[in-house]
Amino acid sequence: MPSGKLFTDGSWHCLCPSSITLSRKGLHILSRPALEVSRQCMNIKQRQFHAQNLRRTVQRSSRTASTLSIGYQPTILPFSYAELRDQEQMRKLDLGIAYQQLRQTALRGNHRQTQVLTSILVEERGEKPSLRLYDALLLANADHLDGSASEVVRILEEIACEGMTPDSATYHAVLRVLAIHPDYLLRHHILEQLRKRWFPVTKDGWHDVIAGLIRDRQLEMALEGLENMRKECVKVEPWLHDLMVYTLCSAEEFESALDLTQRRLNEGELNISGSLWYYLLDTASRALHHRATLFAYRARVESLYLNPPAGMCINILNTAARHGDTYLATSVLRVLGKRSGNPIQLHHYEALLETYIKANDLRTALTLLSIMTAAGHPPTESSTCPIYTHLRQSADFPAKAVSILEDLREQDRQVPIQAINVTIQASISHRDLDSALHTYKTMHTISPNLNPNTATFNILFRGCAQAARKDLAMFLASEMVALKIAPDTLTYDRLILVCLNSEASIDDAWRYFEEMKTLNWWPRDGTYMSLVRRACEGGDERVWKLVQDSRDRGAAGQRMRALIAEHWKGGSEEAERLLDENRSMFDS
């Protein structure tokens, strides 16, 4: 069966470069024999004047290099005194020394000076094109502003047209440029040429290849290249390791960055940059990566090489809280505690509390609430959310929490009301109203000077709404009045729910609703819709007042209309009639 035609596109070129012929103009010339190249170039006019090609290379490079970077506006600066001196020396020096000076200038990436020195050698001293001159022009493209991979391609084309065959130095010069201006296809082609011609890749060449892969964000191939260098016993310079770790951290590949750093330490490399350690700890803690954060923390902070700033300490503390690492959390709080002023604030304690809950240490978490109160940072209702989440996991946990609070009382610790509230809230979540009431009634045995607050009664009202215990809710409401505890919007909201769930009439719920409006408060959306639904089920005409109030607040009427049509006592036909009569209320 004949095989179908294979269509290739850009994705195929990137993913499988070795299986196709490079389509970039001019690159295919490099793989042809020198004789064939020479024959193709015989048609070029003025072929006998070899220097003209090289002269055009210099002139074209100087004209186009400054436009390679998008947004880069070239500034023509005068030559420095040292550059002018080197240009003058180039006219007088022995040729061997002149070529050495040209190469040193190219290795420094001084693109413009290399062009000028090459021009002096060709035009004033009559040097003919050679690989040494072309190599210098290639190396000069390592300039991060004026160099480019496209200029390298053009120079390679011209080398081929001159009938020259690139050598190992030429290929390595290209690899050096591609470390700054990555081009994956060109790099692959150069490496393939080195392999076919049995040229070994030098140590510097390996570094340039991997630096180019890192710059190209091909991190897996870069890591594989580092591993190959180790297998070949090629020493990896610290700067390349640092570049790899920096890039891995910026890509949030912390496992690979950590493994690479650990290997460096295991191989005896102790002089890892302090800036690199700082960046690893900063990025890993910001991403809440526990293993990398703990490793960098132990290596730098505990050894007193690094005193992390407050923001990084918060990130480290959050990482410890996420993973339940009590050791790391307490250690970073000790670092904060050594600073002047009052460095440990409420949010630090909250993160530490979450850490202990994550580690299933309920006793220490509840003890921390007492410590927070004694330190002048009493917990809020939101501070105890991690404890509430933990207590909800089992119906036995609220009783266990009460027992722990009683032990704290025996230790003469001050138990805050928030600790009592969270145990009551957990009992209510398990629909154990009796246990919640028992905790409420015995709170004075846990802490003699402890008084309930508005949140305490709001939690109990929630239990009353669940159990339809209006009698108990009225008793608790009278206690609020006796204790002079001011209600809030949630108090009225839950009293409305208690009345709706406990009796057929909505009269009491309506009174709480009207009183609520006099205080410029409004019930939650679910509570309001429950009041509308109950009014519809009883055929109560006050539902139209609710519709009008809702419209005055800018709420959409479609949901209200659907609710009335579905729940009206007289049935759907009567509901449709009433809705038509009151159509104006639903018009926007």
Side-chain angles (χ1 to χ4, degrees):
M1 180 177 178
S3 59
K5 184 178 180 180
L6 179 63
F7 293 95
T8 61
D9 57 7
S11 299
W12 181 271
H13 283 247
C14 292
L15 296 175
C16 195
S18 61
S19 63
I20 58 175
T21 302
L22 291 177
S23 60
R24 185 188 300 274
K25 180 180 179 181
L27 283 184
H28 62 283
I29 300 177
L30 299 178
S31 61
R32 298 177 182 176
L35 180 58
E36 180 181 353
V37 174
S38 298
R39 289 174 178 174
Q40 288 188 354
C41 293
M42 290 299 294
N43 295 328
I44 301 177
K45 294 181 178 180
Q46 301 177 354
R47 172 67 183 83
Q48 61 275 23
F49 301 105
H50 298 283
Q52 291 186 5
N53 282 340
L54 186 60
R55 188 179 301 114
R56 284 196 297 270
T57 297
V58 173
Q59 295 172 351
R60 191 156 47 235
S61 297
S62 61
R63 286 198 306 268
T64 62
S66 62
T67 62
L68 298 172
S69 299
I70 298 177
Y72 170 63
Q73 297 296 330
T75 301
I76 306 302
L77 298 176
F79 287 105
S80 66
Y81 172 79
E83 290 175 330
L84 293 174
R85 180 195 60 199
D86 291 343
Q87 294 171 18
E88 188 63 31
Q89 289 179 350
M90 183 62 65
R91 297 180 173 91
K92 303 175 182 178
L93 286 174
D94 178 74
L95 283 177
I97 300 177
Y99 273 104
Q100 292 179 7
Q101 180 174 331
L102 174 64
R103 181 172 178 81
Q104 292 299 321
T105 303
L107 286 173
R108 289 195 298 269
N110 192 334
H111 189 272
R112 184 176 64 162
Q113 180 74 346
T114 303
Q115 305 291 338
V116 173
L117 297 182
T118 303
S119 177
I120 291 174
L121 286 174
V122 173
E123 296 182 358
E124 298 185 21
R125 304 196 63 173
E127 287 295 299
K128 294 182 178 181
S130 65
L131 286 180
R132 296 179 69 182
L133 290 174
Y134 280 116
D135 288 351
L137 293 175
L138 288 171
L139 288 172
N141 278 278
D143 189 328
H144 70 286
L145 285 179
D146 295 331
S148 73
S150 61
E151 179 68 14
V152 169
V153 171
R154 200 189 55 74
I155 294 174
L156 290 176
E157 288 182 21
E158 191 162 318
I159 291 175
C161 286
E162 291 289 348
M164 302 178 188
T165 302
D167 59 8
S168 177
T170 304
Y171 289 138
H172 280 83
V174 176
L175 293 178
R176 182 181 180 90
V177 176
L178 296 181
I180 309 299
H181 307 285
D183 186 319
Y184 176 73
L185 295 176
L186 179 57
R187 185 191 305 113
H188 176 82
H189 178 77
I190 296 298
L191 292 175
E192 192 67 16
Q193 291 299 311
L194 286 169
R195 184 186 65 81
K196 288 180 178 180
R197 300 184 59 187
W198 295 89
F199 288 144
V201 180
T202 64
K203 174 186 173 182
D204 290 341
W206 274 114
H207 283 71
D208 291 334
V209 169
I210 295 176
L213 291 172
I214 294 173
R215 201 170 179 87
D216 233 358
R217 291 289 175 164
Q218 300 192 43
L219 302 183
E220 291 185 3
M221 296 183 66
L223 288 172
E224 183 180 353
L226 287 175
E227 187 62 30
N228 291 335
M229 291 179 67
R230 290 191 181 90
K231 291 179 181 179
E232 298 292 333
C233 298
V234 178
K235 184 180 183 301
V236 181
E237 295 297 329
W239 68 263
L240 185 60
H241 269 146
D242 290 352
L243 178 62
M244 186 80 251
V245 174
Y246 276 121
T247 309
L248 288 170
C249 289
S250 67
E252 296 191 354
E253 295 289 344
F254 297 109
E255 289 294 333
S256 298
L258 181 56
D259 292 341
L260 184 59
T261 306
Q262 286 178 323
R263 177 175 290 185
R264 295 174 68 180
L265 294 175
N266 294 337
E267 292 175 352
E269 185 178 346
L270 301 179
N271 297 322
I272 299 178
S273 166
S275 299
L276 181 65
W277 281 113
Y278 183 95
Y279 189 75
L280 176 60
L281 181 58
D282 182 37
T283 54
S285 61
R286 198 185 314 136
L288 304 180
H289 192 278
H290 177 245
R291 185 165 166 255
T293 300
L294 182 61
F295 178 79
Y297 183 88
R298 284 177 168 171
R300 303 302 291 179
V301 180
E302 289 189 347
S303 58
L304 303 181
Y305 284 106
L306 174 63
N307 186 16
M312 187 184 294
C313 288
I314 294 175
N315 291 335
I316 297 171
L317 193 56
N318 290 336
T319 303
R322 173 68 63 86
H323 298 275
D325 189 340
T326 57
Y327 164 80
L328 180 60
T330 53
S331 178
V332 73
L333 276 182
R334 281 195 293 269
V335 172
L336 284 171
K338 294 178 182 179
R339 298 176 181 178
S340 59
N342 190 15
I344 302 181
Q345 301 295 324
L346 177 62
H347 58 278
H348 298 117
Y349 284 111
E350 290 175 341
L352 182 60
L353 186 146
E354 185 177 354
T355 305
Y356 283 114
I357 288 298
K358 190 71 175 182
N360 294 320
D361 191 349
L362 179 61
R363 178 176 295 274
T364 306
L366 291 173
T367 304
L368 185 59
L369 295 178
S370 300
I371 296 174
M372 293 167 65
T373 304
H377 299 289
T380 63
E381 301 301 327
S382 61
S383 302
T384 58
C385 285
I387 298 177
Y388 172 67
T389 302
H390 177 77
L391 296 180
R392 289 189 61 186
Q393 296 177 5
S394 173
D396 297 331
F397 284 178
K400 179 182 177 182
V402 172
S403 177
I404 294 173
L405 294 177
E406 290 173 349
D407 293 342
L408 294 178
R409 172 68 182 91
E410 294 177 359
Q411 299 172 13
D412 293 330
R413 289 187 179 273
Q414 183 181 359
V415 178
I417 186 60
Q418 288 78 13
I420 303 295
N421 288 347
V422 73
T423 57
I424 296 175
Q425 187 179 11
S427 297
I428 295 297
S429 69
H430 293 295
R431 296 188 177 275
D432 189 356
L433 182 57
D434 293 337
S435 296
L437 285 172
H438 177 73
T439 303
Y440 166 72
K441 292 177 181 178
T442 59
M443 71 169 60
H444 294 291
T445 62
I446 297 175
S447 184
N449 299 324
L450 199 61
N451 292 315
N453 59 8
T454 304
T456 310
F457 287 102
N458 288 342
I459 296 169
L460 290 171
F461 286 142
R462 179 189 176 193
C464 294
Q466 291 176 351
R469 290 286 305 276
K470 182 182 177 182
D471 57 329
L472 178 59
M474 295 302 102
F475 168 76
L476 294 172
S478 63
E479 285 213 346
M480 284 189 71
V481 175
L483 294 172
K484 298 182 180 179
I485 297 175
D488 59 11
T489 180
L490 185 58
T491 307
Y492 280 98
D493 186 288
R494 287 186 171 163
L495 283 173
I496 292 174
L497 288 176
V498 167
C499 295
L500 292 176
N501 295 344
S502 302
E503 49 190 22
S505 173
I506 67 168
D507 290 342
D508 289 343
W510 186 267
R511 278 193 287 269
Y512 281 119
F513 172 67
E514 290 292 332
E515 186 175 345
M516 195 177 190
K517 289 200 301 181
T518 61
L519 298 172
N520 290 325
W521 290 339
W522 193 259
R524 293 174 297 177
D525 185 64
T527 303
Y528 190 79
M529 299 309 290
S530 296
L531 183 58
V532 173
R533 179 178 54 80
R534 287 294 307 278
C536 291
E537 291 173 349
D540 198 315
E541 292 292 333
R542 285 177 291 189
V543 69
W544 307 111
K545 182 66 168 66
L546 296 174
V547 171
Q548 184 63 45
D549 290 342
S550 177
R551 182 190 177 187
D552 293 342
R553 293 179 61 85
Q558 289 299 114
R559 184 182 176 190
M560 192 80 70
R561 185 185 183 94
L563 193 65
I564 295 173
E566 180 180 357
H567 294 283
W568 188 258
K569 181 180 179 181
S572 58
E573 293 184 1
E574 184 177 350
E576 288 296 333
R577 179 181 60 81
L578 292 173
L579 288 171
D580 289 339
E581 293 177 358
N582 297 275
R583 183 183 301 274
S584 60
M585 291 187 179
F586 300 97
D587 295 336
S588 56

